[in-house]
């Protein structure tokens, strides 16, 4: 039953399901006692739950954070309601830091603050009291040490909100400004490392073959091989090749 | 003097032939780095967050910060770009432990990497280089309070005390065997001794691992091609490694000639061969197939035009297939191409609930790859594809027996 509850909870977060009342998902899953029954009776529900899970997983990996002393901040884009999933991930990953994440597509954010932090008592009041041009930030809910919030539609997260929070947390600290300047240098360093890792594409063999240059492909697998013919689009549509195995 | 940017570029490039995917590292949510992960306030944890891969848009995997401590090396391995005999050796660079630990933490805090993979060339005494590697790990664990994933290489010729010290801090340690036997190692390296440099260290590592010191176990890496070793010998060695040393993984690396090295003019091994070895390895490790079914005949390689599981199914077609999905055991289902452990368990679980599979769509919904499974199964005694037609369609009729 726990697995079914997890599927239902994830499916509800899917952008298509947000239009319907929450009970609709339960009605779809009604009568399914095991996850395999659910898989057979409502494959769509499972697909939606899986899509949300995969999206959250990718964002956890792709998202880049900018450190301002002990505060980390980052933005992402998702049409699903996953701000608490992403927030919880980073709360566990960086238990000693405060983390602010912001979903640009849905305009909702999540703040996690470490236990015993001097910021914990006032962080909610701090965010709620910040006046912006379009109004005040509003809280959505507080769950498991996470503070979920939304901003007025006219307020910019990076230029206005984050700037104000940093100013309040670290007033007049030159080290914080230095972090922002370091960002460009850091990205150059990352690019230098990233370009050295090309050979790792072999982990995904199909992808590597598909991305390989034509000459290299012919050297590797031979011009007459079915893989080469497939990639060079000489195999009729629908015909199965070794890449399907 | 190299800047950190140059060092990252040079030493990252030098480490790119080491294979270190961490998919098998997340064995249990309770077995994360036990000494540190339970403490409050430590930075990160490999398992609650998941030591996941980060795939870039073009499919590259960059989950681990994979570098060498130094690329200076006194060994002479003919396949390696850092070897003394390589005429096109890259510029020399070396990290200090403090520099490397700080650089890594900056990457980790920005969520660019999930963990550290650290190897090194050997300049003179391996004990000194190992000492620096241990110091790097110590700084990460104790100074930066990093509780995430650390994979470190044990260097050939290192001492038992160094292996133990490394295991204190690392989640996973590994040692590159490079070849399945002494004879084949001699073909690609003039300085490494198979027994004293490699097997002895593997035995020590196994001793450390058997005391449950390593949450993510130990691994090794074998070069495919570049010497005369066949797939039969490589897989036989793999079986021995899994049974004798309880390795988590054996990685296979297709040989690619490095410019300026003594093996510069040797043909590269096809990536497809490496892929077939991984498929066979998977059958041995995860499907628990008998090794005599998986290994190719002595002195031969695995066929490249067909995957090992389909090849085995076609060889055993008359004795084992078709399998009736509503009656078959787990082992029988696992032998069907297109049915993996997960879908096989789902089929069994459904049967236990008294449900029957009636149509192809149900199997598809359970995760079975029907285009591969069809000729090998029957549903309620009805067969949906003939093997010879299916093989002709897929251009593998030569394997029909």
């Amino acid at each position: 039953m726990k697995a079914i509850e997890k599927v239902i909870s994830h499916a509800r977060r899917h952008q298509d399901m947000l239009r319907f009342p929450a009970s609709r998902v339960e009605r779809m899953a009604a009568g399914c006692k095991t996850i395999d029954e659910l898989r057979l009776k409502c494959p769509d529900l499972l697909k939606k739950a899986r899509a949300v899970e995969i999206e959250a997983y990718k964002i956890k990996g792709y998202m880049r954070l900018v450190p301002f002393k002990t505060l980390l901040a980052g933005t992402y884009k998702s049409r699903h309601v996953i701000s608490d999933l992403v927030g919880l991930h980073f709360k566990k990953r960086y238990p000693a830091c405060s983390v602010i994440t912001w979903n640009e597509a849905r305009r909702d954010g999540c703040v996690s603050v470490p236990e015993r932090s001097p910021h914990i008592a006032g962080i909610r009041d701090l965010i709620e009291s910040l006046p912006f041009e379009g109004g005040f930030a509003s809280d959505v809910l507080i769950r498991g040490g996470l503070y979920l919030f939304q901003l007025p539609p006219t307020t910019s997260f990076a230029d206005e909100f984050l700037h104000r929070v940093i100013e309040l947390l670290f007033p007049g600290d030159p080290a914080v400004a230095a972090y922002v300047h370091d960002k460009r240098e850091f990205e150059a360093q990352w690019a230098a490392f990233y370009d050295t890792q090309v050979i790792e594409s072999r982990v995904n063999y199909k992808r590597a073959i598909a991305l390989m240059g034509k000459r290299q492909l012919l050297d590797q697998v031979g011009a007459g091989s079915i893989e080469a013919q497939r990639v060079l689009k000489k195999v009729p549509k629908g015909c199965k090749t070794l890449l399907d195995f | 003097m190299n800047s950190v940017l140059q060092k990252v570029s040079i030493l990252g490039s030098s480490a790119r032939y080491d294979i270190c995917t961490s998919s098998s590292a997340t064995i249990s949510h309770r077995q994360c780095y036990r000494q540190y992960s339970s403490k409050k306030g430590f930075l990160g944890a490999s398992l609650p967050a998941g030591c996941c891969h980060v795939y870039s848009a073009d499919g590259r995997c960059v989950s681990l910060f994979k570098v060498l401590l130094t690329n200076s090396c006194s060994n002479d391995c003919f396949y390696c770009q850092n070897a003394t005999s390589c005429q096109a050796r890259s510029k020399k660079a070396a990290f200090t432990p403090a520099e490397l630990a700080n650089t890594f933490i900056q990457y980790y805090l920005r969520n660019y990497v999930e963990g550290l993979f650290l190897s090194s060339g050997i300049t003179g005494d391996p004990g000194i280089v190992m000492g620096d590697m241990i110091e790097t790990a110590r700084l990460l664990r104790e100074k930066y309070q990093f509780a995430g994933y650390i994979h470190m290489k044990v260097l050939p010729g290192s001492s038992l005390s160094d292996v133990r010290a490394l295991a204190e801090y690392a989640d996973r340690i590994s040692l590159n065997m490079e070849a399945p036997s002494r004879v084949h190692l001699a073909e690609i390296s003039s300085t490494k001794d198979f027994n004293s440099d490699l097997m002895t260290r593997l035995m020590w590592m196994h001793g450390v691992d058997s005391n449950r010191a390593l949450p993510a176990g130990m691994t090794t890496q074998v070069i495919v091609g570049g010497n005369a070793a066949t797939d039969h010998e490589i897989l036989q060695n793999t079986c021995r490694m899994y049974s004798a040393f309880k390795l988590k993984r054996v990685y296979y690396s297709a040989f690619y000639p490095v410019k300026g090295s003594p093996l510069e003019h040797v043909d590269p091994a096809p990536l497809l061969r490496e892929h077939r070895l991984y498929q066979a390895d998977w059958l041995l490790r995860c499907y628990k197939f008998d090794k005599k079914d998986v290994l190719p005949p002595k002195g031969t390689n695995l066929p490249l035009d067909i995957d090992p599981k389909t090849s085995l199914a076609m060889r055993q077609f008359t004795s084992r297939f078709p399998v009736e999905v509503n009656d078959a055991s787990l082992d029988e289902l696992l032998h069907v191409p297109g049915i993996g452990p997960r879908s096989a368990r789902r089929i069994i679980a459904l049967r236990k609930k008294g449900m029957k599979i009636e149509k192809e769509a149900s199997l598809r919904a359970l995760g079975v790859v029907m285009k591969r499974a069809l000729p090998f199964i029957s549903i309620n005694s009805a067969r949906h594809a003939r093997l010879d037609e299916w093989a002709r369609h897929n251009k593998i009729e030569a394997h029909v027996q």
Side-chain angles (χ1 to χ4, degrees):
Chain A
M1 286 306 282
K2 206 174 171 185
I4 294 180
E5 280 164 20
K6 193 180 167 192
V7 169
I8 290 172
S9 142
H10 274 77
R12 270 199 212 127
R13 296 166 176 275
H14 195 280
Q15 57 157 342
D16 291 349
M17 305 304 285
L18 294 173
R19 296 194 300 261
F20 304 113
S23 59
R24 183 189 158 103
V25 181
E26 271 90 354
R27 273 208 308 278
M28 282 173 80
C32 298
K33 287 178 185 164
T34 65
I35 189 79
D36 291 324
E37 279 180 59
L38 187 70
R39 203 183 304 278
L40 288 179
K41 283 186 183 170
C42 8
D44 282 358
L45 202 65
L46 221 82
K47 266 186 195 170
K48 286 193 172 19
R50 185 86 181 119
V52 170
E53 204 167 22
I54 289 170
E55 174 118 333
Y57 178 82
K58 279 183 184 167
I59 285 166
K60 287 171 195 172
Y62 278 130
M63 205 168 146
R64 300 294 179 235
L65 302 172
V66 182
F68 305 97
K69 284 197 159 180
T70 55
L71 173 74
L72 306 172
T75 60
Y76 61 95
K77 274 184 188 169
S78 172
R79 288 166 299 176
H80 310 314
V81 180
I82 54 170
S83 56
D84 56 331
L85 296 180
V86 174
L88 195 64
H89 169 79
F90 288 111
K91 183 182 162 66
K92 283 179 179 169
R93 187 176 160 95
Y94 306 111
C97 301
S98 305
V99 187
I100 301 182
T101 57
W102 176 251
N103 182 354
E104 288 175 347
R106 295 193 63 82
R107 293 191 57 78
D108 56 19
C110 177
V111 180
S112 74
V113 183
E115 289 172 37
R116 295 184 212 147
S117 160
H119 304 139
I120 196 164
I123 192 86
R124 182 181 173 186
D125 297 337
L126 179 79
I127 292 174
E128 284 183 355
S129 65
L130 288 173
F132 298 102
E133 277 181 21
F136 288 85
S138 61
D139 63 322
V140 180
L141 56 100
I142 297 170
R143 186 194 288 167
L146 301 174
Y147 175 68
L148 307 179
F149 65 96
Q150 285 184 324
L151 291 178
T154 51
T155 306
S156 152
F157 172 78
D159 297 336
E160 201 175 346
F161 175 79
L162 193 58
H163 191 70
R164 299 286 296 277
V165 170
I166 292 164
E167 253 178 23
L168 280 167
L169 291 178
F170 314 105
D173 191 336
V176 174
Y179 273 121
V180 181
H181 290 301
D182 284 348
K183 191 171 178 259
R184 193 174 296 168
E185 191 187 327
F186 181 81
E187 279 170 3
Q189 195 187 85
W190 170 254
F193 169 71
Y194 185 78
D195 284 343
T196 65
Q197 304 298 306
V198 179
I199 206 158
E200 282 284 293
S201 62
R202 298 191 309 181
V203 170
N204 188 342
Y205 179 75
K206 281 185 193 174
R207 186 108 191 163
I209 289 274
L211 291 169
M212 207 178 267
K214 283 184 187 175
R215 182 173 291 172
Q216 196 188 352
L217 173 77
L218 298 182
D219 288 348
Q220 282 284 350
V221 296
S225 73
I226 204 86
E227 279 97 342
Q229 289 180 35
R230 168 75 171 267
V231 173
L232 300 175
K233 299 196 172 119
K234 286 184 182 168
V235 176
K237 200 177 175 187
C239 177
K240 291 180 180 63
T241 70
L242 282 176
L243 291 177
D244 297 314
F245 288 85
Chain B
M1 181 69 83
N2 292 314
S3 67
V4 171
L5 176 69
Q6 286 168 318
K7 286 180 186 179
V8 164
S9 176
I10 295 167
L11 296 169
S13 170
S14 301
R16 72 182 188 275
Y17 292 100
D18 278 309
I19 301 171
C20 60
T21 51
S22 56
S23 54
S24 60
T26 52
I27 37 176
S28 151
H29 285 262
R30 287 164 198 270
Q31 285 181 292
C32 47
Y33 198 81
R34 67 197 181 292
Q35 194 182 342
Y36 295 100
S37 60
S38 56
K39 291 183 182 173
K40 280 192 174 175
F42 268 68
L43 182 67
S46 59
L47 289 160
C51 194
C52 51
H53 292 131
V54 183
Y55 286 105
S56 62
D58 59 356
R60 285 190 277 179
C61 168
V62 285
S63 60
L64 299 181
F65 184 50
K66 195 169 69 165
V67 285
L68 299 187
L69 193 71
T70 172
N71 61 352
S72 301
C73 192
S74 49
N75 275 336
D76 191 16
C77 306
F78 307 144
Y79 53 86
C80 181
Q81 62 174 0
N82 301 318
T84 50
S85 62
C86 183
Q87 289 162 3
R89 296 175 82 179
S90 48
K91 198 177 166 187
K92 292 280 164 286
F95 275 119
T96 62
E99 204 173 38
L100 180 57
N102 182 48
T103 306
F104 169 73
I105 284 296
Q106 290 306 314
Y107 280 120
Y108 187 79
L109 275 177
R110 287 166 164 86
N111 198 34
Y112 280 73
V113 293
E114 297 290 328
L116 173 69
F117 172 90
L118 185 61
S119 183
S120 183
I122 307 168
T123 42
D125 182 7
I128 294 172
V129 186
M130 283 287 282
D132 281 350
M133 290 171 73
I134 294 162
E135 176 62 9
T136 307
R138 191 193 65 76
L139 283 172
L140 285 173
R141 296 295 194 207
E142 293 176 3
K143 183 182 172 191
Y144 293 102
Q145 303 195 320
F146 173 68
Y149 182 74
I150 297 180
H151 177 172
M152 290 199 153
K153 285 277 173 199
V154 170
L155 304 179
S158 51
S159 67
L160 176 58
S161 59
D162 283 343
V163 174
R164 282 189 183 137
L166 202 66
E168 277 292 303
Y169 295 110
D171 291 276
R172 167 175 281 184
I173 56 175
S174 59
L175 174 70
N176 288 1
M177 285 191 71
E178 314 296 14
S181 69
R182 194 173 167 173
V183 178
H184 295 309
L185 183 69
E187 290 175 51
I188 52 174
S189 177
S190 62
T191 46
K192 281 183 189 165
D193 183 81
F194 189 77
N195 289 332
S196 65
D197 282 338
L198 305 179
M199 296 308 283
T200 311
R201 269 76 197 171
L202 271 172
M203 272 193 281
W204 289 348
M205 287 160 65
H206 176 53
V208 171
D209 189 28
S210 55
N211 294 332
R212 300 180 66 81
L214 293 162
M218 47 191 259
T219 63
T220 191
Q221 181 179 329
V222 179
I223 293 175
V224 180
N227 58 22
T230 60
D231 289 354
H232 174 87
E233 288 167 296
I234 292 172
L235 286 172
Q236 202 166 39
N237 177 59
T238 298
C239 294
R240 200 165 54 234
M241 291 292 116
Y242 284 142
S243 60
F245 298 120
K246 309 286 180 222
L247 292 190
K248 278 273 180 267
R249 289 284 301 264
V250 174
Y251 291 110
Y252 307 96
S253 174
F255 168 77
Y256 192 82
V258 173
K259 207 175 174 187
S261 70
L263 299 181
E264 184 182 356
H265 302 294
V266 176
D267 288 337
L271 284 179
L272 194 54
R273 185 178 168 200
E274 179 190 291
H275 182 60
R276 295 288 179 241
L277 279 167
Y278 274 119
Q279 287 177 320
D281 183 277
W282 197 261
L283 296 179
L284 292 166
R285 194 161 46 89
C286 302
Y287 286 67
K288 310 285 180 207
F289 278 15
D290 196 338
K291 77 171 185 183
K292 66 174 186 291
D293 286 341
V294 178
L295 264 60
K298 202 172 178 182
T300 62
N301 293 336
L302 292 164
L304 293 183
D305 59 346
I306 186 169
D307 74 274
K309 191 176 176 186
T310 310
S311 168
L312 175 65
M314 290 174 87
R315 284 203 307 275
Q316 298 181 338
F317 189 80
T318 46
S319 61
R320 199 184 269 273
F321 299 102
V323 162
E324 170 54 50
V325 284
N326 286 310
D327 294 328
S329 65
L330 182 70
D331 183 56
E332 286 170 331
L333 286 173
L334 281 176
H335 275 80
V336 177
I339 299 184
R342 196 176 285 181
S343 42
R345 283 194 197 100
R346 281 176 190 158
I347 293 169
I348 301 278
L350 271 184
R351 285 207 319 241
K352 281 184 184 164
K353 300 272 176 203
M355 295 174 73
K356 273 187 109 178
I357 309 266
E358 303 284 355
K359 51 189 180 182
E360 283 180 39
S362 306
L363 282 176
R364 202 169 282 124
L366 293 174
V368 176
V369 185
M370 293 307 289
K371 64 184 175 187
R372 297 172 59 196
L374 264 185
F376 302 98
I377 55 169
S378 62
I379 304 171
N380 290 332
S381 306
R383 294 186 62 187
H384 297 256
R386 281 169 55 98
L387 180 70
D388 49 356
E389 285 171 8
W390 176 85
R392 202 174 313 119
H393 183 66
N394 289 296
K395 300 186 178 10
I396 49 173
E397 59 268 39
H399 295 274
V400 178
Q401 292 182 351

